[in-house]
Structure formats: structure tokens, C-alpha cells
Amino acid sequence: MNVTSSSFSNNKKGFDFLINSLKPYSKKSILLGMEDTGHYHVALLKFLLSNGYTVALINPKTTESRLLKSKSLK
């Protein structure tokens, strides 16, 4: 199942917004993917793990958005 993307703040309020958005789904049925973005992902990663979610870190060099950005810069 894919869920549409949304934006939220990189702070407790934003993290709570994300958790509330995920409530309709069982934690066991969710695999959250996030780019390994230096230090920016660490707080969210810790928050999600401490709340029992499964998270996959993705190398940003392998994501489509990164490839599209690099192509547009040439």
C-alpha cells in the first residue's frame, strides 16, 4: 500500500502529526522509508523507533528525487 506524501515540521509537533496520520494503520503493517539526510533525520528516526514503528533508511543517492535534481542541474 502506498500513501500520499505530506509535509510536517521536524519537531515534536510535526512528529505527533505524522503519528496521528498513521493511526488508521497497524504498526505491524507499516514500513516507513526515509532518506538518510545527514543529521536531519535522526530525531524523527529515534521518535518513530521509540514508538514501535519499523523504519528503513534510504541512501539519498538512490532516490528518484535526487536523480531528478542532479539531472536538472546539468
Side-chain angles (χ1 to χ4, degrees):
M1 164 186 7
N2 289 322
V3 180
T4 58
S5 64
S6 65
S7 297
F8 55 91
S9 300
N10 190 13
N11 56 32
K12 175 82 165 80
K13 185 177 178 181
F15 300 169
D16 288 337
F17 169 82
L18 175 61
I19 294 293
N20 285 330
S21 299
L22 298 173
K23 281 187 178 180
Y25 310 99
S26 163
K27 288 181 184 180
K28 292 182 180 184
S29 69
I30 298 174
L31 170 61
L32 297 166
M34 69 170 59
E35 287 186 348
D36 183 354
T37 55
H39 67 280
Y40 295 105
H41 73 284
V42 175
L44 177 58
L45 176 62
K46 288 180 179 180
F47 181 82
L48 291 170
L49 293 174
S50 69
N51 280 279
Y53 289 92
T54 303
V55 182
L57 288 180
I58 302 166
N59 183 332
K61 292 181 181 180
T62 64
T63 62
E64 185 176 329
S65 63
R66 172 72 179 198
L67 294 173
L68 291 174
K69 287 178 187 176
S70 66
K71 286 181 182 178
S72 66
L73 294 175
K74 292 181 181 179

